[in-house]
Amino acid sequence: MTLQEGDKAPEFSLPDHTGQHVSLSEMRGSKIVLYFYPKDDTSGCTKEACGIRDEFPAFEARGAIVLGVSPDSSASHEKFRRNYELPFTLLADTAHEVAEAYGVWVKKQMYGREYMGVARTTFVIDEQGNVERVFRKVSPAEHAQELIAALDR
């Protein structure tokens, strides 16, 4: 299933970097930037996370909650947050159930080998829990600016 703009965002509850569960329904009334990324501490994922970190005051000024999701564990997320001073929440989707629900758990290919993994994708979810914007094939370096522009619309 491929989520489109206007669709109801699938509900989820995942452990964050501290092991506490975070649910989409708990954030109803706030705009959510839900970004899926493949792996902690890899070059593209670090570039994307640090770009959002560097622009984080702009997200806060727009009332947006930023949530990063990958198949890594809570412990891996805690280390990633600490190493790069990330001020936002990272969620551990170790069974990739949420990635599947959002349609971002896909067949990928590297060095001639096929495997399943996360397609770097971001969903902006409105205050009522609907998908407002979808960003596919995200460029890590420019993504934070692209998101801020979308939040200003």
Side-chain angles (χ1 to χ4, degrees), residues 54-142:
D54 294 348
E55 298 294 339
F56 194 67
F59 288 92
E60 286 183 309
R62 288 156 179 81
I65 298 171
V66 176
L67 302 172
V69 182
S70 86
D72 295 302
S73 68
S74 292
S76 175
H77 284 339
E78 178 55 33
K79 182 177 176 224
F80 187 44
R81 281 184 84 249
R82 192 173 50 250
N83 286 348
Y84 295 98
E85 298 177 0
L86 304 177
F88 49 87
T89 300
L90 298 178
L91 301 175
D93 187 21
T94 56
H96 48 79
E97 291 170 359
V98 177
E100 287 181 38
Y102 278 78
V104 301
W105 186 251
V106 299
K107 188 179 292 185
K108 299 173 91 174
Q109 192 168 14
M110 188 187 304
Y111 307 121
R113 181 176 77 85
E114 284 191 348
Y115 63 98
M116 295 300 288
V118 171
R120 191 182 308 279
T121 309
T122 300
F123 299 88
V124 176
I125 302 169
D126 71 16
E127 294 83 352
Q128 291 74 46
N130 299 308
V131 177
E132 189 172 276
R133 289 290 308 273
V134 180
F135 296 88
R136 301 187 195 285
K137 296 187 181 358
V138 168
S139 171
E142 293 89 36

Side-chain angles (χ1 to χ4, degrees), residues 24-44:
L24 181 61
S25 59
E26 293 170 352
M27 292 175 267
R28 192 79 77 240
S30 296
K31 193 158 287 206
I32 309 298
V33 172
L34 183 69
Y35 86 94
F36 289 86
Y37 65 99
K39 187 156 183 53
D40 291 340
D41 275 315
T42 56
S43 63

